Amino acid sequence: MNYPDGDIKFVPGIGEVRARLLEKELGIRTAGDMLWYFPYRYIDRTKIYSVREITEELSGTLIQLRARVTGTAYAGVGRKRRFTVSVSDATGSAELVWFQGIKWIEKRIEVGREYLIFGRPAFYRHELSIAHPEIETMEQALSRKVESGMQGIYSTTERLSSTFGTKGLYTVICNLWPLVAESIRDYMPPAVCEKYGLVPLREALYNLHFPQSPERLRQAQYRLKFDELLGVQLGIQSRRTERVTRNNGFLFPKVGPVFTDFYNEKVPFPLTGAQKRVIREIRSDTVTGCQMNRLLQGDVGSGKTMVALMSMLLAVDNGFQACMMAPTEILARQHFATVTRMLDGLPVRVSILTGSSKAKERRAALEGIASGEVQLLIGTHALIEDKVQFRNLGFVVIDEQHRFGVEQRARLWTKNARPPHMLVMTATPIPRTLAMTLYGDLDVSVIDELPPGRQPIRTYHYTDAARLKLFGFMRGEIAKGRQVYVVYPMIEESEKMDYKNLFEGYEAISRDFPLPEYVTEVCHGRMKPADKEASMARFKSGEAHILVATSVIEVGVDVPNATVMVIESAERFGLSQLHQLRGRVGRGGEQSYCILMSGEKLSRESRARLGAMCETNDGFRLAELDLKLRGAGDINGTLQSGMAFDLKIANPTQDAQILTRTREAAEEILQADPTLSAPGNRGLLELKNRYSGEEKIDFSQIS
Ligand code: ADP
Ligand code: MG
């Protein structure tokens, strides 16, 4: 059998049926797939516990116990029927329990015999019990070839573990290895291995499944992470070279009347230095003849929208259409309202297109876009539908890009034969190398300055006991003519409960803040888009004082008169989400406040998160902290949805060092052989193609 293409069904003990199951459940079809399916952790199989050593602290962990069977019994009836086996050693006794496969296990248990028992201990009234352990006789255990004592644990699915038994995939790999080991060829050029200290591929794969020692496991992990990230980097960098040499970017040579009139007469405030700098960066990108791919990072409230709008006007002045895609209906409508208002009196036609656009609005927009009459289009995902055909789209803005998947971004990209310039904006700061891994080849601009006159938002953490105080505070602010947001968490898994909390909260507030003095609005995902919008509109106009909402308002909503953001069950939000929500206030000149409400009992991590929020307003610092607190935290979520390919072992957020090294390696390799066409680089070319995700969709220059 050959690596990597050999069909897994030929491995002893697999066959057609199990092979099909493996493919269905884990996407494993070939020897290569199987060998690149890595253990998610390793356990030490040289450590054998005695009963007394297994304390409650070890509950739920995987341990090994050596003990003799003293008796067996059946208990319970019907679905609760179980088979129990009593075992003991010199230090005490324990109980093994099976709820399924009872017949099978019964046949294998012999009273008086000694077994090696492997499983997760639990305690019932201080009695040690292990459910569904893996067992073998001591003779079997001693004859087993244990290389180092470390055994990989593979994640599996329910269907797989009932078919393959408790040892599951480990056995499959054991049977597969001798069949394919000889045919594993290393694709990495020896010079690269030498320079970066990479162990040979075969050795790496072997040690990942059968670690010879912790050190060799570490080397193996390093090697394979390096491979994956190098593949990614080779892809990104070759695309970049292609982009900057292909010379097919639209040219915006003119700064014309629209831009100039807007700048001189319409912009209601002086631009910050950072805004001006970014506009200059974009402007110089668009006169080079290369297509622009730029990520704009700027904290919430830093004024990214203005930068986007002015860049779009550059496109318009040069005879092109521009569009801006926002992740929610509310946000798209708000952008549309802002833009229309600001452009009032200028000869620019702006249109909006969202999922809930009425037939008439939709038809007008579609026709205008196709004819070129509409110069600026603002909308949601609706923009990427096939029906939307631009006449000459030259500039695309994606707001809050982390809310969109790769494919959605890619589809906007492919609207033109010639790719438009792309500006993607985010308030979640991501280090550059990481951003490149996520979004491909791009340049990064940063707005690192808030508009002047903003007072830092004061953030406090209250527990539920302080609710009266909170209400008093809200009254005080409303009396000053300000407005208040009250936000509830909402996640799918606990949606029912979350809505209950929201409705109860809304009722409590309506009761404590009665009409006509206080107008309270509610806005959540179960409302019709039109109702949501109407309720937002009443809050925006100042007619309503309090808006009770779910995190639908998280992104980008702009109500400068709102000065208080109350976040209920704040411990349930991630740091970057909390920061985004807080960014909804502090947009005018008034002192603003963010109140984080939580119960008394908090995990250490939640406490640290809420504490960090009270301490700093700096989104970049919070993002760093989030990384520390949660490993990869929110960025990791973004990662999963944002990447065009699967990484099996590398984690770009945690393997930052390897990422940097592979970037250098890729630069060096491509400098010597830009197309990877040298015979010695064929393996690298394959590696590059594997991680470019190009076979899935043409992501080639997606930002
Ligand atoms: P974000 O970067 O979070 O998208 P916005 O673009 O929504 O921020 O801007 C936040 C608020 O700041 C808006 O009300 C906007 O009009 C205002 N703003 C933007 N730029 C400036 C500036 N240079 N001076 C004063 N206010 C500004
Ligand atoms: Mg914004």
Side-chain angles (χ1 to χ4, degrees):
M1 190 181 204
N2 270 326
Y3 173 87
D5 297 324
D7 193 326
I8 198 84
K9 74 179 176 200
F10 298 118
V11 175
I14 297 226
E16 286 289 349
V17 176
R18 290 179 167 198
R20 231 176 293 139
L21 188 64
L22 269 174
E23 173 156 21
K24 185 152 173 272
E25 299 281 299
L26 300 175
I28 293 173
R29 203 173 49 77
T30 65
D33 295 339
M34 191 72 240
L35 288 186
W36 280 78
Y37 191 74
F38 300 126
Y40 67 95
R41 53 173 287 196
Y42 298 87
I43 47 146
D44 182 356
R45 292 216 66 166
T46 52
K47 170 75 188 162
I48 297 177
Y49 286 84
S50 66
V51 170
R52 195 170 44 208
E53 277 179 303
I54 305 174
T55 57
E56 301 212 10
E57 272 159 34
L58 291 172
S59 296
T61 63
L62 277 167
I63 53 94
Q64 284 183 121
L65 167 71
R66 176 181 182 161
R68 200 174 291 283
V69 171
T70 56
T72 64
Y74 281 101
V77 286
R79 296 191 52 201
K80 289 209 169 146
R81 187 172 161 82
R82 57 187 190 271
F83 179 61
T84 61
V85 174
S86 311
V87 297
S88 66
D89 66 6
T91 68
S93 60
E95 193 174 72
L96 315 180
V97 194
W98 280 266
F99 299 93
Q100 282 149 21
I102 293 179
K103 280 233 165 63
W104 188 86
I105 202 72
E106 194 191 2
K107 270 191 242 151
R108 275 155 191 81
I109 294 277
E110 205 177 303
V111 177
R113 205 163 182 169
E114 204 179 16
Y115 290 86
L116 187 66
I117 299 146
F118 177 63
R120 299 178 193 278
F123 287 85
Y124 295 104
R125 293 187 215 96
H126 304 291
E127 297 290 331
L128 170 58
S129 146
I130 305 177
H132 285 252
E134 190 180 297
I135 56 163
E136 50 191 350
T137 60
M138 279 319 287
E139 294 85 67
Q140 275 171 335
L142 294 173
S143 68
R144 182 159 43 89
K145 199 168 110 221
V146 188
E147 310 274 0
S148 67
M150 286 165 85
Q151 186 184 321
I153 305 292
Y154 298 82
S155 64
T156 170
T157 65
E158 218 175 296
R159 285 190 64 195
L160 278 178
S161 61
S162 65
T163 310
F164 284 88
T166 35
K167 283 202 193 164
L169 299 175
Y170 181 72
T171 325
V172 179
I173 303 251
C174 288
N175 292 338
L176 168 67
W177 183 261
L179 299 181
V180 295
E182 282 303 310
S183 66
I184 298 175
R185 304 259 171 281
D186 204 339
Y187 42 74
M188 194 68 84
V192 177
C193 289
E194 195 168 325
K195 177 154 186 193
Y196 294 93
L198 307 177
V199 298
L201 179 64
R202 187 187 308 166
E203 186 186 328
L205 288 172
Y206 186 72
N207 274 284
L208 266 163
H209 296 289
F210 314 105
Q212 304 291 293
S213 70
E215 175 57 16
R216 297 187 68 181
L217 173 60
R218 206 194 49 72
Q219 290 168 345
Q221 287 167 328
Y222 177 77
R223 158 72 207 250
L224 296 177
K225 287 176 176 185
F226 190 95
D227 284 21
E228 286 193 328
L229 295 175
L230 180 64
V232 172
Q233 289 297 323
L234 286 171
I236 291 172
Q237 292 184 25
S238 349
R239 270 176 262 147
R240 176 174 197 81
T241 316
E242 210 183 301
R243 177 166 69 86
V244 298
T245 52
R246 215 205 267 146
N247 242 30
N248 66 342
F250 293 122
L251 283 172
F252 299 172
K254 271 203 309 224
V255 176
V258 173
F259 184 94
T260 317
D261 289 354
F262 179 75
Y263 186 56
N264 292 335
E265 288 160 31
K266 302 285 181 184
V267 183
F269 35 66
L271 297 183
T272 64
Q275 283 172 318
K276 284 187 197 161
R277 190 188 67 236
V278 175
I279 293 171
R280 272 201 303 274
E281 284 168 351
I282 293 169
R283 174 147 163 65
S284 57
D285 279 353
T286 53
V287 295
T288 58
C290 299
Q291 181 257 337
M292 178 184 89
N293 227 6
R294 196 168 270 284
L295 173 69
L296 173 55
Q297 302 191 341
D299 210 341
V300 267
S302 60
K304 295 186 289 294
T305 317
M306 183 52 80
V307 171
L309 175 57
M310 293 183 67
S311 316
M312 294 196 290
L313 295 183
L314 275 176
V316 171
D317 265 337
N318 287 276
F320 290 96
Q321 291 171 298
C323 74
M324 171 141 100
M325 182 161 81
T328 64
E329 173 97 23
I330 290 176
L331 193 51
R333 298 249 164 222
Q334 178 186 289
H335 281 327
F336 178 68
T338 314
V339 168
T340 337
R341 180 168 36 83
M342 288 219 231
L343 293 180
D344 185 38
L346 292 178
V348 182
R349 202 162 137 214
V350 191
S351 212
I352 180 161
L353 189 67
T354 73
S356 66
S357 288
K358 300 258 160 44
K360 205 170 134 208
E361 185 182 62
R362 170 179 303 265
R363 202 169 42 233
L366 287 176
E367 280 172 16
I369 298 157
S371 71
E373 226 175 290
V374 168
Q375 292 146 300
L376 286 190
L377 180 65
I378 294 172
T380 56
H381 304 74
L383 295 191
I384 58 185
E385 284 166 17
D386 293 334
K387 266 179 257 142
V388 186
Q389 293 294 337
F390 290 89
R391 204 174 92 96
N392 60 348
L393 180 63
F395 198 94
V396 170
V397 179
I398 299 182
D399 195 16
E400 310 289 350
Q401 53 71 34
H402 60 282
R403 289 298 196 91
F404 294 100
V406 181
E407 301 203 14
Q408 290 168 332
R409 283 182 269 133
R411 287 184 48 190
L412 201 48
W413 169 274
T414 48
K415 285 245 168 254
N416 270 22
R418 239 165 109 179
H421 297 299
M422 298 281 280
L423 180 68
V424 295
M425 311 201 290
T426 183
T428 312
I430 313 167
R432 187 184 134 82
T433 23
L434 194 55
M436 285 183 61
T437 313
L438 291 176
Y439 306 115
D441 148 46
L442 39 71
D443 296 307
V444 179
S445 291
V446 180
I447 302 190
D448 48 8
E449 183 186 351
L450 289 180
R454 296 271 170 85
Q455 299 182 50
I457 301 161
R458 294 197 190 140
T459 304
Y460 302 98
H461 173 202
Y462 287 177
T463 60
D464 292 328
R467 198 158 289 278
L468 277 180
K469 196 165 133 197
L470 169 71
F471 281 2
F473 178 70
M474 285 165 59
R475 272 195 193 91
E477 283 293 299
I478 293 169
K480 287 190 217 155
R482 318 268 187 270
Q483 291 163 279
V484 180
Y485 291 103
V486 181
V487 175
Y488 282 81
M490 186 64 59
I491 57 169
E492 237 172 274
E493 294 89 75
S494 55
E495 196 180 288
K496 231 171 137 184
M497 204 52 211
D498 288 344
Y499 270 111
K500 187 164 167 277
N501 291 341
L502 174 103
F503 294 138
E504 282 173 7
Y506 174 57
E507 273 166 26
I509 288 170
S510 309
R511 196 168 51 237
D512 281 56
F513 294 84
L515 290 163
E517 204 181 340
Y518 304 96
V519 180
T520 303
E521 283 292 336
V522 65
C523 184
H524 58 76
R526 282 191 189 165
M527 287 162 62
K528 291 205 196 86
D531 294 342
K532 261 194 272 195
E533 217 179 290
S535 139
M536 282 301 299
R538 279 190 294 274
F539 188 66
K540 240 189 127 149
S541 70
E543 197 184 316
H545 306 102
I546 303 173
L547 179 69
V548 178
T550 60
S551 41
V552 287
I553 60 153
E554 179 193 338
V555 272
V557 177
D558 193 28
V559 183
N561 190 47
T563 57
V564 183
M565 167 62 67
V566 179
I567 305 177
E568 294 287 346
S569 305
E571 74 276 13
R572 291 180 50 200
F573 289 95
L575 251 185
S576 78
Q577 233 184 338
L578 288 172
H579 182 62
Q580 285 270 350
L581 283 170
R582 175 167 62 184
R584 296 311 109 218
V585 296
R587 303 196 142 223
E590 307 302 333
Q591 176 62 55
S592 292
Y593 305 87
C594 174
I595 316 281
L596 308 170
M597 300 300 291
S598 81
E600 296 281 348
K601 276 208 182 120
L602 284 177
S603 71
R604 224 180 57 211
E605 194 203 295
S606 308
R607 204 170 284 283
R609 233 182 303 138
L610 301 185
M613 280 292 291
C614 297
E615 247 162 59
T616 181
N617 273 303
D618 181 339
F620 281 73
R621 263 188 64 198
L622 288 172
E624 263 169 38
L625 210 105
D626 202 23
L627 257 171
K628 260 191 225 143
L629 279 177
R630 310 210 294 165
D634 289 357
I635 295 184
N636 219 10
T638 313
L639 205 80
Q640 306 303 337
S641 65
M643 281 190 311
F645 38 80
D646 293 331
L647 293 178
K648 306 251 186 262
I649 183 166
N651 176 338
T653 51
Q654 277 158 19
D655 302 321
Q657 248 183 352
I658 308 181
L659 189 59
T660 312
R661 252 177 252 168
T662 54
R663 192 171 59 150
E664 289 163 16
E667 258 164 39
E668 205 180 291
I669 292 167
L670 290 171
Q671 204 143 52
D673 180 9
T675 52
L676 298 177
S677 43
N681 283 343
R682 185 170 307 156
L684 290 176
L685 182 63
E686 262 170 45
L687 194 64
K688 181 200 113 184
N689 291 340
R690 184 164 355 135
Y691 293 103
S692 313
E694 271 164 14
E695 66 267 26
K696 289 193 204 168
I697 183 170
D698 182 17
F699 288 111
S700 42
Q701 288 137 321
I702 201 52
S703 40

